[in-house]
Amino acid sequence: MSQSPRRLRSAEWFGTADKNGFMYRSWMKNQGIPDHEFQGKPIIGICNTWSELTPCNAHFRKLAEHVKKGVLEAGGYPVEFPVFSNGESNLRPTAMFTRNLASMDVEEAIRGNPLDAVILLTGCDKTTPALLMGAASCDIPTLVVTGGPMLNGKHEGKDIGSGTVVWKLSEQVKAGKISLHDFMAAEAGMSRSAGTCNTMGTASTMACMAESLGTSLPHNAAIPAVDSRRYVLAHLSGNRIVEMVHEDLKLSKVLTKQAFENAIRTNAAIGGSTNAVIHLQAIAGRIGVDLTLDDWTRIGRGTPTIVDLQPSGRYLMEEFYYAGGLPAVLRRLGEADRLPHKDALTINGKTLWENVEDAPLYNDAVIRPLDTPLREDGGMCVMRGNLAPNGAVLKPSAATPELMTHRGRAVVFENFDDYKARINDPDLDVTADDILVMKNCGPRGYHGMAEVGNMGLPAKLLEQGITDMVRISDARMSGTAYGTVVLHVAPEAAAGGPLAAVHNGDMIALDAYAGTLHLEVDDAELAARLAEADPTAESTQIASTGGYRQLYIEHVLQADQGCDFDFLVGFRGAEVPRHSH
């Protein structure tokens, strides 16, 4: 067994022959752990987001067992511990509401326990950023293992994509094109194996972000959840995390500004979720990297989308893995001199380019050549103007090109309840050229900024064959969704942002290519409207009930800053706390 040349962090608990060392070791031994496991072996924490309420992560018990085998084989000792499992599919009002809570759980669990390194078992949308945020604030050797995507969905003999098919079929029901029975028949076929969404939704996007940031082993992002190679990768990750302890390869050595710039470029190439913008901002804030929305424009714009996956394209994550996965994408970018920092360090001790320069690529239809992309410019569009002084975002690979430059009349919904009550009213004054505007759905207004920004179109327009309209809100949308949707308007309406002052009939001009979003109301009128409004009234009233909601509303930052809590931003390290007795 190799020994670490320096004193391990866990030795501050287990490495002394006094009363404290006796107590720490003795209670651990009630699990049947022999004494030699405490004699200089790196203690590896397996941070597990397993939960039956988080179906994407419900197979993590088995995944953890393979990690443990790898840790033991490499001479470490694994200890598995649970943290808050932020399940996207069941949590209300939205898993984003508790992302920061989960990150606090992770941070304090790492700092307060005898851990020399951690493996983060993540998968479902918010579990990956939450665990990386918490680990980043501690900065010990850290490696991400995601749970992998589901197998392709199947319905009527065809492949269907997680989430994406829901938005598509529900619109067809409203348009009268299919029956409710047809809609419900797709339910069982959409999710037919363990794993996360099989589209390039937020879960797959964040898995790709983790890999392109250098925090996971190559191919981690795309191996299907039920593929045996997923468990091989988990085993090898267990091997590698022990080596990282001996090398003192902390997270801050990997999560550099260069790593984030590589991830931004990657997000454009894969047609990744808009949620990646918020999550990368938050992770960067924890590790002390200065990342702004301007970086998304500077690095991302002009990058072609070359991965032909739903919701932007045709295929699903199975085909993506079989085509070569993320290493093939990174190789293609690097060979075209489109990878910003080839020499960025990754957790296996190699540079990003060393990991991918010989990566095989098996299918040009799924991972396209750069000269025949799915979208010429897939970089996230960041827009500013008097309607979004601090920015708003739009995903071009999922939008209608003809609508990315548009001027239209605002049809305003004060909140999501107002939208649901009126959107299908036959008397709603709306045309296809109008712009749907929804307020009070940002981090404060909807307590977590729910994925309601991809507003379904009015039924009467769907019946006319209209399939897309410009939509603007301070909300988010699922990475599985699509459309010409302007999201994350900051400041949000509930924080007094200009969105609160939009009236029915106002003209709005959007130019996603130029990065502008303008409400055609003069400054004096806009100021007068905002002075009359009390956009925070609803949030303040709810906050007065106390609890986590009050903490959230009082301390959450806006979307352009990653929606972290103001008191969590920054790097706190993993200094060993004082003894508990």
Side-chain angles (χ1 to χ4, degrees):
M1 181 188 73
S2 62
Q3 297 292 322
S4 176
R6 47 185 193 81
R7 185 171 174 82
L8 295 170
R9 185 174 182 273
S10 59
E12 299 295 329
W13 280 261
F14 301 135
T16 62
D18 58 7
K19 177 190 71 174
N20 286 311
F22 175 107
M23 295 175 72
Y24 293 128
R25 290 188 300 272
S26 179
W27 272 300
M28 287 293 284
K29 286 179 178 179
N30 81 356
Q31 301 174 81
I33 303 172
D35 188 69
H36 68 266
E37 301 291 7
F38 299 103
Q39 304 305 316
K41 289 187 177 183
I43 306 298
I44 308 299
I46 301 174
C47 185
N48 198 342
T49 51
W50 170 87
S51 170
E52 290 179 344
L53 287 170
T54 306
C56 295
N57 297 8
H59 58 302
F60 279 17
R61 283 176 167 171
K62 183 177 179 181
L63 198 67
E65 290 304 314
H66 287 272
V67 173
K68 289 177 183 178
K69 290 177 183 177
V71 171
L72 290 167
E73 183 180 64
Y77 191 78
V79 286
E80 182 181 350
F81 62 98
V83 291
F84 187 95
S85 187
N86 226 21
E88 191 71 27
S89 55
N90 283 318
L91 271 178
R92 294 185 180 185
T94 167
M96 185 65 176
F97 177 55
T98 42
R99 183 201 65 176
N100 298 345
L101 178 64
S103 78
M104 294 166 70
D105 185 358
V106 172
E107 177 179 350
E108 299 308 327
I110 291 173
R111 185 177 294 114
N113 279 297
L115 303 176
D116 298 302
V118 285
I119 283 195
L120 308 178
L121 294 189
T122 73
C124 193
D125 295 18
K126 306 305 178 294
T127 60
T128 302
L131 269 60
L132 271 171
M133 288 162 67
S137 289
C138 294
D139 195 29
I140 65 175
T142 301
L143 195 157
V144 174
V145 176
T146 56
M150 292 186 282
L151 297 177
N152 291 358
K154 295 289 183 178
H155 178 56
E156 296 181 343
K158 299 177 182 177
D159 287 343
I160 57 173
S162 310
T164 302
V165 73
V166 175
W167 318 123
K168 191 171 295 184
L169 293 183
S170 62
E171 295 286 74
Q172 291 178 6
V173 171
K174 288 165 62 177
K177 294 180 179 179
I178 64 172
S179 69
L180 183 60
H181 178 272
D182 293 332
F183 175 65
M184 300 303 293
E187 184 177 304
M190 186 182 82
S191 306
R192 64 187 190 92
S193 82
T196 60
C197 289
N198 52 32
T199 53
M200 190 55 76
T202 303
S204 293
T205 297
M206 290 310 298
C208 289
M209 294 297 93
E211 188 172 330
S212 60
L213 284 168
T215 60
S216 64
L217 293 179
H219 288 290
N220 172 73
I223 304 172
V226 297
D227 192 310
S228 62
R229 287 168 287 191
R230 171 65 54 187
Y231 298 106
V232 172
L233 183 136
H235 185 116
L236 295 176
S237 296
N239 288 164
R240 177 57 192 158
I241 193 67
V242 176
E243 296 171 351
M244 290 172 65
V245 174
H246 300 314
E247 297 168 10
D248 195 27
L249 183 49
K250 296 180 179 180
L251 199 52
S252 58
K253 297 178 181 179
V254 175
L255 286 182
T256 61
K257 180 64 176 281
Q258 290 73 28
F260 283 97
E261 291 184 351
N262 284 336
I264 289 172
R265 183 67 55 82
T266 302
N267 190 72
I270 64 174
S273 169
T274 50
N275 287 300
V277 179
I278 290 177
H279 297 322
L280 289 190
Q281 294 297 117
I283 296 165
R286 294 294 189 94
I287 203 72
V289 168
D290 181 20
L291 193 69
T292 70
L293 290 184
D294 291 336
D295 291 317
W296 285 83
T297 299
R298 179 176 59 85
I299 300 296
R301 293 304 306 277
T303 305
T305 298
I306 59 173
V307 177
D308 194 344
L309 248 68
Q310 294 182 33
S312 300
R314 298 171 291 174
Y315 299 102
L316 296 168
M317 288 296 290
E318 266 195 82
E319 285 82 18
F320 181 48
Y321 177 58
Y322 305 148
L326 194 69
V329 175
L330 297 175
R331 176 181 177 178
R332 193 148 262 178
L333 289 174
E335 288 177 340
D337 201 25
R338 294 291 193 100
L339 200 57
H341 304 285
K342 291 182 176 180
D343 59 348
L345 181 65
T346 72
I347 52 89
N348 67 357
K350 299 179 180 180
T351 67
L352 188 64
W353 185 242
E354 286 173 334
N355 284 337
V356 305
E357 61 181 327
D358 297 318
L361 201 160
Y362 300 113
N363 191 331
D364 283 348
V366 179
I367 303 173
R368 298 187 178 196
L370 269 76
D371 56 2
T372 57
L374 185 69
R375 192 66 174 256
E376 290 286 350
D377 185 352
M380 207 67 71
C381 292
V382 176
M383 292 152 287
R384 286 188 172 86
N386 68 345
L387 190 53
N390 294 345
V393 303
L394 178 146
K395 178 179 174 178
S397 63
T400 301
E402 295 77 17
L403 290 175
M404 290 181 64
T405 302
H406 186 74
R407 180 176 180 270
R409 184 184 61 144
V411 177
V412 178
F413 303 96
E414 292 300 319
N415 51 47
F416 188 51
D417 291 334
D418 183 32
Y419 160 79
K420 289 191 293 183
R422 295 195 295 122
I423 189 63
N424 292 321
D425 185 341
D427 296 325
L428 180 67
D429 182 12
V430 62
T431 72
D433 293 328
D434 292 334
I435 295 176
L436 303 182
V437 176
M438 185 165 59
K439 310 175 184 179
N440 294 302
C441 292
R444 293 186 190 175
Y446 206 108
H447 311 131
M449 200 179 178
E451 294 179 338
V452 296
N454 57 313
M455 294 169 266
L457 305 189
K460 66 181 183 181
L461 295 184
L462 290 168
E463 291 168 359
Q464 297 170 21
I466 304 301
T467 58
D468 197 10
M469 294 174 66
V470 174
R471 288 155 274 180
I472 300 173
S473 74
D474 45 14
R476 297 179 299 114
M477 78 173 181
S478 168
T480 67
Y482 53 89
T484 311
V485 185
V486 178
L487 303 154
H488 310 179
V489 171
E492 64 176 304
L499 191 67
V502 181
H503 289 179
N504 274 310
D506 288 344
M507 298 302 294
I508 297 174
L510 158 75
D511 189 336
Y513 299 110
T516 58
L517 184 62
H518 187 70
L519 176 66
E520 295 182 358
V521 172
D522 65 50
D523 293 346
E525 171 65 16
L526 188 57
R529 290 184 187 181
L530 287 172
E532 292 176 1
D534 185 8
T536 63
E538 181 180 356
S539 289
T540 302
Q541 182 179 3
I542 293 174
S544 67
T545 61
Y548 178 70
R549 285 189 296 181
Q550 183 166 342
L551 176 74
Y552 187 94
I553 292 167
E554 290 178 354
H555 292 282
V556 70
L557 298 170
Q558 290 295 289
D560 61 301
Q561 297 175 289
C563 296
D564 203 356
F565 290 155
D566 51 14
F567 61 85
L568 291 178
V569 175
F571 169 80
R572 286 170 286 283
E575 183 178 351
V576 175
R578 291 180 290 183
H579 287 295
S580 59
H581 37 67

